[in-house]
């Protein structure tokens, strides 16, 4: 274990660290789901002069060194590029983070009434401990797409004047049988239904549910069947907060992986005079296997590079594979930080620690590295030099003890396409819980790492 890096910071470092972490807290409070991250990131990128790649394609305009473009993939993933002075087939420096997080999704027909109480039925998304989601203030985020083509944004539970909703739990007085169950069964998936109302209207049947429908009709002009074409996510209500009496940490929902998404985006936008082409990917669906048209396993990213190659005059079939082969990527994703309360599943010599810097993870996977991208030693050596040359504090770790479990990221997906990739991100405590904790010094070092990588890899 290295030294705590707070001891090494100058006043200037601490000013910059606080500036980045304050902005991060604000960003993550307003960007809780993949659609919100995508929308807010496009807004920021456009302020920095980025233009939708479709504009170049539709107008038949060529790209040129210094051009800044983005690709919006169905409002749930985003890829941004700054075209370098060097030929694109020499490779791209890529930062890739995911912007989906564990949560509860509403089912297609979610609304029902039972015993004069109205509920929303859910299906959880990603790896959660279900018992953590009861008795918390929750909010609704997402969209309702109507048959007339309107897409209505929904956010209920975040404004201070908004109501919140939530899931009830059994009182301990009657919980004797429940408490004997194993933790995965204490609260089961079908019990994660959200209580949203108790007041009837004048109707004979389902008066509480009908009253809720009237409220939704007045607020959003929607009918019950519009839930059929909605994507609404139930997430913890409330803003990100400074954590610890010393304010050295951040507590927020969805820091896996928006802490890396934010620091990647910010580093990417701050480095615009580039020799090699640079790119930032903010991608959906990592938590359920990177599947679907908005996940990393879809072709949207390579298709975007192919379009860019073409607009740079590279129409030969070798342009895309050469670009990928010569590219470097940091799969910006979080790591499980060492938790002294759960030291039994951590290997002390191969763990990441709070306030010890950005974490490189050579391989993830489980049961003998299965499913992992195992980064090349030569690539790691190159990165070590870049980090040391730029005074970036870093640590190298793996995810817990051998045979304790495991996990994956998007790293292997572009590695399969011949890109040099390693996982690199911020350590997290209480990962995948409704409220996750990170250390500010690690957030700052991740930002510094991503800047150094974009400039020098
Ligand atoms: Mn992740
Ligand atoms: Mn995760």
């Amino acid at each position: 274990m290295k030294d705590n890096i707070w001891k090494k910071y100058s006043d200037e470092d601490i000013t910059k660290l606080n500036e980045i972490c304050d902005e991060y807290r604000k960003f993550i409070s307003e960007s809780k789901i993949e659609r919100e991250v995508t929308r807010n990131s496009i807004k920021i990128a456009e302020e920095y002069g980025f233009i939708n790649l479709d504009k170049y394609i539709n107008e038949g305009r060529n790209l040129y060194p210094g051009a800044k473009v983005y690709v919006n993939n169905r409002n749930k993933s985003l890829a941004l590029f700054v075209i370098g002075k060097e030929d694109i087939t020499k490779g791209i420096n890529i930062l890739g983070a995911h912007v989906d997080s564990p949560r509860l999704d509403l089912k297609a027909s979610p609304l029902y009434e039972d015993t004069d109480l109205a509920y929303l039925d859910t299906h959880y998304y990603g790896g959660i401990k279900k018992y953590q989601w009861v008795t918390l203030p929750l909010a609704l985020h997402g969209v309702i797409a109507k048959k007339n083509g309107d897409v209505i944004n929904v956010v209920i539970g975040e404004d201070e004047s908004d109501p919140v909703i939530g899931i009830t739990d059994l009182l301990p007085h009657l919980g004797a049988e429940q408490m004997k169950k194993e933790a995965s069964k204490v609260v089961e998936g079908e019990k994660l239904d959200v209580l949203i109302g108790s007041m009837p209207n004048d109707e004979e049947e389902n008066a509480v549910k009908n009253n809720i429908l009237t409220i939704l009709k007045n607020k959003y002009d929607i009918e019950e069947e519009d839930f059929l074409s909605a994507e609404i996510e139930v997430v913890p209500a409330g803003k990100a907060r400074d954590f610890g009496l010393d304010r050295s940490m951040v507590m927020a929902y969805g820091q896996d992986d928006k802490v890396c998404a934010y620091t990647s985006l910010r580093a990417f936008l701050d480095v615009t005079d580039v020799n090699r082409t640079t790119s930032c990917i903010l991608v959906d669906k990592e938590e359920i296997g990177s599947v679907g048209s908005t996940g990393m396993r879809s072709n949207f990213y390579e298709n975007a590079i192919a379009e860019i190659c073409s607009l740079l005059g590279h129409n030969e079939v070798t342009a895309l594979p050469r670009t990928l082969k010569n590219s470097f990527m940091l799969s910006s994703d979080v790591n499980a930080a060492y938790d002294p309360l759960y030291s039994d599943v951590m290997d002390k010599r191969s763990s990441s620690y709070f306030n010890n810097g950005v974490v490189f993870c050579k391989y993830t996977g489980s049961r003998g590295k299965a499913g992992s991208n195992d980064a090349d030693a030569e690539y790691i050596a190159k990165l070590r030099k870049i980090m040391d040359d730029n005074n970036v504090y870093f640590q190298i770790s793996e995810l817990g003890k051998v045979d304790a479990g495991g996990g994956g990221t998007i790293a292997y997906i572009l590695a399969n396409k011949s890109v040099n990739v390693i996982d690199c991100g911020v350590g997290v405590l209480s990962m995948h819980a409704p409220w996750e904790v990170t250390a500010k010094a690690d957030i700052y070092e991740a930002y510094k790492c991503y800047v150094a990588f974009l400039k020098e890899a």
Side-chain angles (χ1 to χ4, degrees):
M1 192 175 164
K2 290 187 256 174
D3 288 340
N4 191 309
I5 46 185
W6 283 102
K7 292 180 188 163
K8 301 177 183 178
Y9 280 151
S10 63
D11 290 348
E12 197 187 323
D13 281 320
I14 288 172
T15 305
K16 181 94 193 188
L17 175 157
N18 282 324
E19 185 214 319
I20 286 172
C21 290
D22 288 349
E23 278 183 31
Y24 165 57
R25 269 201 338 268
K26 188 166 180 295
F27 179 86
I28 195 173
S29 298
E30 293 167 357
S31 311
K32 287 195 171 178
I33 65 169
E34 56 284 345
R35 284 177 184 268
E36 291 165 353
V37 179
T38 302
R39 187 166 63 235
N40 292 333
S41 300
I42 289 174
K43 200 167 147 233
I44 298 168
E46 285 181 340
E47 285 163 14
Y48 276 75
F50 282 74
I51 293 171
N52 194 320
L53 184 67
D54 286 342
K55 245 187 131 161
Y56 282 86
I57 296 170
N58 296 338
E59 294 170 9
R61 285 158 66 187
N62 282 335
L63 284 170
Y64 52 88
K68 302 181 206 170
V69 290
Y70 69 84
V71 176
N72 173 359
N73 182 17
R74 295 176 166 91
N75 301 319
K76 291 192 264 187
S77 316
L78 179 65
L80 305 110
F81 299 85
V82 177
I83 309 302
K85 300 181 191 94
E86 198 176 83
D87 193 274
I88 191 166
T89 60
K90 297 263 168 47
I92 305 175
N93 291 349
I94 305 165
L95 294 171
H98 69 91
V99 294
D100 60 316
S101 299
R103 66 195 186 232
L104 312 175
D105 286 344
L106 295 196
K107 291 188 182 179
S109 299
L111 188 58
Y112 71 93
E113 174 175 333
D114 189 341
T115 327
D116 283 357
L117 297 173
Y119 290 91
L120 290 170
D121 200 355
T122 71
H123 192 139
Y124 63 94
Y125 171 100
I128 62 167
K129 289 176 162 179
K130 284 162 268 185
Y131 65 80
Q132 292 177 334
W133 287 75
V134 297
T135 68
L136 288 173
L138 299 173
L140 297 172
H141 289 240
V143 294
I144 298 168
K146 293 181 29 165
K147 281 201 290 186
N148 67 6
D150 290 349
V151 178
I152 299 158
N153 283 313
V154 173
V155 182
I156 304 173
E158 299 295 349
D159 194 272
E160 283 190 11
S161 64
D162 277 357
V164 293
I165 54 179
I167 300 165
T168 55
D169 194 5
L170 192 57
L171 62 169
H173 318 65
L174 298 178
E177 284 306 311
Q178 181 196 33
M179 295 304 286
K180 287 182 197 157
K181 293 181 186 174
E182 56 185 292
S184 63
K185 300 249 165 78
V186 167
V187 176
E188 296 199 61
E190 284 295 353
K191 287 249 184 339
L192 293 176
D193 290 358
V194 187
L195 179 60
I196 57 161
S198 68
M199 189 193 291
N201 65 8
D202 300 335
E203 296 190 35
E204 292 277 297
E205 276 183 46
N206 286 326
V208 176
K209 172 183 161 178
N210 280 314
N211 189 44
I212 292 285
L213 283 169
T214 306
I215 291 167
L216 291 173
K217 173 85 182 161
N218 291 339
K219 188 168 162 90
Y220 294 115
D221 191 26
I222 56 159
E223 315 288 338
E224 185 172 10
E225 48 269 35
D226 290 325
F227 278 113
L228 292 174
S229 48
E231 285 175 5
I232 300 191
E233 306 177 12
V234 184
V235 300
K239 291 184 163 71
R241 307 284 294 266
D242 277 346
F243 189 81
L245 301 186
D246 55 9
R247 296 179 177 267
S248 63
M249 297 169 275
V250 174
M251 176 178 254
Y253 163 71
Q255 299 203 74
D256 173 7
D257 182 32
K258 281 157 222 133
V259 65
C260 298
Y262 175 77
T263 44
S264 293
L265 178 69
R266 162 113 197 214
F268 172 79
L269 294 173
D270 285 350
V271 178
T272 47
D273 183 23
V274 292
N275 211 23
R276 278 164 71 84
T277 295
T278 57
S279 179
C280 176
I281 312 171
L282 303 176
V283 75
D284 183 28
K285 296 285 185 284
E286 190 275 344
E287 295 294 357
I288 58 168
S290 296
V291 290
S293 63
T294 55
M296 196 70 236
R297 284 157 76 177
S298 93
N299 286 337
F300 93 95
Y301 188 63
E302 293 141 273
N303 292 349
I305 297 174
E307 294 280 6
I308 287 170
C309 285
S310 172
L311 294 174
L312 287 164
H314 278 293
N315 287 307
E316 67 279 15
V317 292
T318 49
L320 177 64
R322 272 186 200 162
T323 302
L324 291 171
K325 182 194 74 162
N326 292 327
S327 291
F328 296 109
M329 178 179 183
L330 297 183
S331 160
S332 336
D333 206 344
V334 295
N335 197 270
Y338 184 83
D339 186 337
L341 300 180
Y342 295 95
S343 58
D344 48 322
V345 294
M346 306 273 185
D347 173 13
K348 259 197 152 166
R349 279 179 297 114
S350 299
S351 290
S352 61
Y353 295 86
F354 261 25
N355 300 311
N356 272 234
V358 66
V359 187
F360 285 92
C361 189
K362 184 177 183 328
Y363 46 84
T364 55
S366 54
R367 302 174 311 283
K369 300 190 180 179
S372 100
N373 157 59
D374 204 344
D376 296 338
E378 294 87 342
Y379 181 41
I380 300 174
K382 177 188 169 81
L383 293 169
R384 280 174 60 202
K385 176 160 174 25
I386 295 171
M387 296 305 123
D388 287 344
D389 288 352
N390 289 278
N391 298 315
V392 176
Y393 296 104
F394 70 93
Q395 44 187 333
I396 294 209
S397 104
E398 51 182 271
L399 191 76
K401 270 186 181 161
V402 174
D403 288 339
T409 64
I410 63 169
Y412 75 95
I413 300 164
L414 280 179
N416 283 350
K417 292 166 186 171
S418 187
V419 176
N420 267 295
V421 189
I422 187 167
D423 281 303
C424 174
V426 174
V428 175
L429 288 175
S430 302
M431 196 194 292
H432 282 209
W435 297 97
E436 301 172 316
V437 182
T438 54
K440 288 185 178 177
D442 300 331
I443 297 171
Y444 179 50
E445 294 304 318
Y447 166 78
K448 283 169 57 192
C449 161
Y450 298 153
V451 167
F453 167 82
L454 290 171
K455 283 184 176 162
E456 296 188 15

